[in-house]
Amino acid sequence: MSRRISDEKELDNVASGNSSRRNEPIHGVERPEKNVMKDIGATFMETFFHDDPLRNFKGQPASKRVLLGLQAVFPIFEWGRGYTLGKLKGDLIAGATIASLCIPQDIAYAKLANLPPQYGLYSSFVPPLIYAFMGSSRDIAIGPVAVVSLLLGTLLRAEIDPEENPVDYLHLAFTATFFAGIIQAALGFFRLGFLIEFLSHAATVGFMAGAAITIGLQQLKGLLGIKDFTKNTDIVSVMHSVFSQTKTWSWITIAIGVSFLVFLLITKYIGKKNKKLFWVPAIAPLLSVILSTLIVFLTRVDKKGVQIVKHIDKGINPPSLHQIFFTGPYLMTGFKIGAISGIIALTEAVAIGRTFAALKDYSIDGNREMLALGSMNIVGSMTSCYVATGSFSRSAVNYMAGCNTAVSNIVMSMIVLLTLELITPLFKFVPNAILAAIIISAVVPLVDIDAVKLLWKIDKSDFVACMGAFFGVIFISVEIGILIAVCLSFAKILLQVTRPRVAVLGNLPGTTIYRNVEQYPAATTVPGVLIVRVDSSIYFSNSNYVKDRILRWITDEDESNAINHLPRIQYIIIDMSPVIDIDTSGIHALEDLNKSLVKRDVQLVLANPGPVVMTKLHDAEFLDIIGQDKMFLTVGDAVRSCRTKLQDEA
């Protein structure tokens, strides 16, 4: 009974219940010798550098280290060595396909950001080239996206009116893009990518759905031919603006816009039903632009009130470094807008990259992705681009078109270059109604009804977070919706951390297994013994809750036992198997719990602690406080011991 556990292997056996001393209490636990600095270093490396390619540097010659360094920053040097003509064929087809989709979308999304249409095309020329060299995803397609364009446009217009002061508005857009890139790159460089995980999936679903509806409602201006439209994005202001101006609606514009919107939605349905026809919805926007432009040009309905694009600057991206606000009153404003839009863009891109990486069974480096996205937006801000990120619709088309590598982004970029140099004058007669129809059809998939139903079915708190973000976006504003989404995500984390599950266990008849009595109604409790399980680590944030919850349970059990003429609780057994860690606050809470139990003449017993927890309890001399015979390998061993003592006392 006085044998000591002297190495970490035995501690692991104890924690898992595989020790040869199963039916004995654990006595005199001896802490295994450890190198503290080595443990801290290992924990740090595993937390921040578990996927770091630079780990392979050790023992390599200088030339190999240079190559590994280049591959760490530019993955193209890694996969480019095995690039073949067969892969190029797939990338050419995919690049040309997504180019046909991105060109009309870019022109439309620039309008969402309240920027001239050529800036959307600029943002699909330079950023994809940078990403192709630095990104680790094979499938993601880079460019402007609807949600980020709307968010950026809304935040920028709250500071500067794009119609009254278009020059400063454009400069602030480049400033926001620059800081968006800085923040994205910094998160990747300092290995802080885990921070974006705090925006929960449920909140993201709600935010995206709300943003999609807001974007769709904003397009009523172009779809109905309204000239004087509200600057607010909430649904009440938009609907009031729409129905208070019914006399200004252009029926020719409505006919053109609705007809092509129906056409676009039908092609989306065809592509969804038959995956082999993915190219149909991919080329539909460009085809719509061409046909509608011909209709306007031949009929000259632009003279009858149909609004058109009128002008798109010809030529490639002009430099814009000198247009970024590095000083002055708009510096902090640009930083704030860049931070918000950059984080949203980052969240969307990483989620898209991981989705398609899972489909093709390869992994992407999240921190490297952030560095790539940040770098492309920094360079983009200096070459007349606004915030670019991964587009889900284009990435899906890229995937289905058979892309093999990021070369598809290079192909798309080259086609956009040719468009800027040769074709932009032909877009003069593109009706705004078509751009509105393209945007509406593009954001429809963002309203994921099935995901919302699943949230309601699985977790009501997730559903509440989803709806909170959704209603915040459509009834207040996009930025408030983001704030609500973040706050609800943090609230859920805090709730789970500060209020862990604590379950009462009972014995499954005919076995030595103890399970949650709520989950297994057949499980029976042990007279005079209360068995609880803490389903969380015990930290400063939840230790008092765990202690108070256990004491309340003892009080409730004693009251119930008195009514039913059953013996009072004399032993409390805590199953520690799910408790993978405990801090000093947790240990103090256990000490306070033990003091309260002593006053009630109840004895505290611990079962199945893990090696980390056991070591800390030993260091705190907690086992000396409760008694060396109050620690057991399994709940069953603890129950047998308590029963024996109860029988002896009887």
Side-chain angles (χ1 to χ4, degrees):
M1 297 290 285
S2 61
R3 297 175 222 165
R4 301 171 66 85
I5 300 175
S6 58
D7 56 36
E8 193 164 340
K9 182 177 180 181
E10 183 61 21
L11 283 174
D12 289 332
N13 289 335
V14 168
S16 61
N18 295 325
S19 173
S20 60
R21 308 164 197 170
R22 275 185 55 87
N23 296 318
E24 301 177 10
I26 305 170
H27 292 285
V29 180
E30 185 176 278
R31 179 183 179 180
E33 293 184 6
K34 290 187 176 182
N35 187 321
V36 177
M37 294 305 299
K38 185 177 180 181
D39 286 348
I40 293 174
T43 301
F44 179 83
M45 291 297 293
E46 181 60 27
T47 302
F48 294 98
F49 297 93
H50 63 281
D51 55 356
D52 189 2
L54 298 182
R55 279 185 166 187
N56 299 325
F57 273 37
K58 189 175 182 180
Q60 299 289 347
S63 59
K64 183 68 173 178
R65 291 186 182 186
V66 171
L67 179 60
L68 289 173
L70 286 173
Q71 291 177 2
V73 180
F74 303 102
I76 193 171
F77 286 104
E78 182 177 355
W79 56 260
R81 291 181 298 169
Y83 199 73
T84 62
L85 287 176
K87 291 181 178 179
L88 178 61
K89 179 181 177 182
D91 288 335
L92 284 173
I93 295 172
T97 306
I98 57 176
S100 68
L101 177 61
C102 87
I103 291 170
Q105 282 187 347
D106 290 344
I107 297 172
Y109 292 161
K111 281 190 165 292
L112 275 179
N114 303 311
L115 292 169
Q118 64 267 19
Y119 289 97
L121 294 172
Y122 292 162
S123 302
S124 278
F125 170 45
V126 173
L129 287 177
I130 304 297
Y131 181 84
F133 282 84
M134 298 186 67
S136 58
S137 173
R138 306 172 194 169
D139 303 278
I140 195 170
I142 297 297
V145 297
V147 173
V148 176
S149 298
L150 173 69
L151 175 61
L152 190 66
T154 302
L155 295 175
L156 291 173
R157 187 149 77 174
E159 302 294 334
I160 302 175
D161 191 310
E163 296 175 1
E164 295 179 1
N165 192 354
V167 175
D168 281 349
Y169 183 90
L170 184 61
H171 293 183
L172 186 58
F174 295 150
T175 305
T177 302
F178 175 79
F179 283 113
I182 290 291
I183 290 169
Q184 291 172 338
L187 288 173
F189 182 80
F190 292 108
R191 321 293 293 183
L192 299 176
F194 63 87
L195 293 177
I196 66 171
E197 305 293 347
F198 285 99
L199 190 60
S200 70
H201 171 70
T204 303
V205 168
F207 169 73
M208 287 297 185
I213 291 176
T214 299
I215 291 169
L217 292 174
Q218 289 283 309
Q219 301 320 300
L220 292 177
K221 174 185 178 182
L223 206 62
L224 302 176
I226 300 173
K227 295 181 180 180
D228 186 17
F229 202 68
T230 179
K231 295 180 180 180
N232 298 324
T233 60
D234 63 281
I235 188 172
V236 176
S237 299
V238 171
M239 298 313 294
H240 178 267
S241 183
V242 168
F243 289 104
S244 64
Q245 303 182 69
T246 53
K247 293 182 180 179
T248 65
W249 292 7
S250 169
W251 297 106
I252 300 176
T253 300
I254 293 172
I256 294 173
V258 172
S259 299
F260 280 98
L261 176 59
V262 171
F263 168 70
L264 290 169
L265 293 176
I266 290 174
T267 58
K268 275 187 173 293
Y269 179 79
I270 292 172
K272 186 177 180 180
K273 286 295 182 181
N274 189 341
K275 300 299 182 183
K276 293 181 179 180
L277 298 177
F278 68 89
W279 54 270
V280 174
I283 67 168
L286 185 59
L287 187 60
S288 298
V289 167
I290 294 171
L291 291 176
S292 62
T293 302
L294 285 174
I295 291 172
V296 172
F297 177 74
L298 295 175
T299 60
R300 295 313 306 264
V301 290
D302 56 306
K303 296 182 178 181
K304 298 179 181 179
V306 175
Q307 299 174 37
I308 58 175
V309 171
K310 293 183 181 179
H311 176 74
I312 299 180
D313 285 350
K314 184 180 178 181
I316 61 172
N317 309 34
S320 57
L321 176 61
H322 63 285
Q323 297 177 331
I324 298 174
F325 291 121
F326 290 111
T327 58
Y330 290 122
L331 174 62
M332 290 310 299
T333 301
F335 178 83
K336 179 190 72 174
I337 296 173
I340 296 172
S341 56
I343 292 298
I344 295 300
L346 198 58
T347 303
E348 185 172 357
V350 172
I352 292 169
R354 287 175 177 171
T355 298
F356 290 101
L359 290 174
K360 285 190 176 180
D361 194 25
Y362 68 92
S363 60
I364 63 171
D365 184 335
N367 290 297
R368 207 187 314 188
E369 282 294 286
M370 294 172 195
L371 191 59
L373 292 164
S375 299
M376 78 181 192
N377 278 315
I378 292 171
V379 175
S381 69
M382 301 175 185
T383 53
S384 299
C385 304
Y386 72 94
V387 181
T389 186
S391 165
F392 186 81
S393 59
R394 287 178 231 170
S395 298
V397 170
N398 196 31
Y399 169 80
M400 290 186 287
C403 73
N404 294 300
T405 66
V407 169
S408 61
N409 273 295
I410 298 176
V411 174
M412 177 192 72
S413 181
M414 292 299 100
I415 294 175
V416 172
L417 169 63
L418 293 175
T419 301
L420 284 167
E421 289 286 3
L422 303 173
I423 306 175
T424 48
L426 300 179
F427 291 127
K428 176 181 178 180
F429 291 99
V430 174
N432 288 342
I434 289 303
L435 301 181
I438 289 171
I439 291 174
I440 293 173
S441 66
V443 299
V444 166
L446 295 180
V447 183
D448 195 341
I449 302 297
D450 291 335
V452 176
K453 290 180 179 178
L454 190 63
L455 292 174
W456 171 260
K457 182 179 179 181
I458 295 176
D459 192 327
K460 300 300 186 291
S461 64
D462 272 350
F463 178 80
V464 170
C466 175
M467 290 296 100
F470 174 77
F471 288 120
V473 172
I474 66 171
F475 282 108
I476 307 177
S477 66
V478 178
E479 57 268 35
I480 294 298
I482 293 173
L483 181 62
I484 291 174
V486 172
C487 289
L488 289 173
S489 298
F490 271 101
K492 183 176 181 182
I493 293 170
L494 291 175
L495 185 64
Q496 291 176 338
V497 169
T498 60
R499 295 293 183 269
R501 296 183 186 275
V502 182
V504 174
L505 306 185
N507 177 243
L508 295 180
T511 72
T512 58
I513 298 173
Y514 290 82
R515 292 291 183 265
N516 188 341
V517 294
E518 292 185 0
Q519 184 180 1
Y520 297 90
T524 58
T525 57
V526 180
V529 180
L530 178 64
I531 311 167
V532 299
R533 185 185 66 218
V534 181
D535 293 333
S536 167
S537 294
I538 303 177
Y539 292 129
F540 66 94
S541 58
N542 60 26
S543 56
N544 285 326
Y545 170 80
V546 171
K547 179 195 70 176
D548 294 340
R549 188 72 186 90
I550 292 173
L551 290 175
R552 285 200 306 273
W553 247 322
I554 293 175
T555 301
D556 293 342
E557 287 293 319
D558 280 341
E559 290 176 355
S560 176
N561 291 344
I563 294 173
N564 296 310
H565 304 290
L566 294 172
R568 69 176 183 85
I569 300 298
Q570 298 182 53
Y571 290 91
I572 171 74
I573 300 173
I574 302 179
D575 180 5
M576 302 285 285
S577 54
V579 183
I580 60 174
D581 200 1
I582 189 170
D583 65 1
T584 52
S585 296
I587 294 174
H588 286 313
L590 289 180
E591 291 174 350
D592 292 341
L593 173 63
N594 185 63
K595 291 176 183 177
S596 298
L597 294 177
V598 169
K599 293 178 182 178
R600 301 185 184 201
D601 195 22
V602 178
Q603 297 186 48
L604 176 62
V605 178
L606 303 181
N608 199 17
V612 174
V613 174
M614 186 178 290
T615 299
K616 290 185 177 182
L617 293 177
H618 172 269
D619 290 345
E621 299 180 349
F622 182 73
L623 301 184
D624 296 331
I625 295 174
I626 65 172
Q628 295 287 347
D629 60 341
K630 296 299 191 302
M631 183 88 76
F632 290 85
L633 303 179
T634 68
V635 173
D637 293 342
V639 170
R640 279 191 292 272
S641 175
C642 293
R643 275 178 168 168
T644 300
K645 292 178 180 178
L646 287 172
Q647 290 171 0
D648 292 342
E649 292 173 2

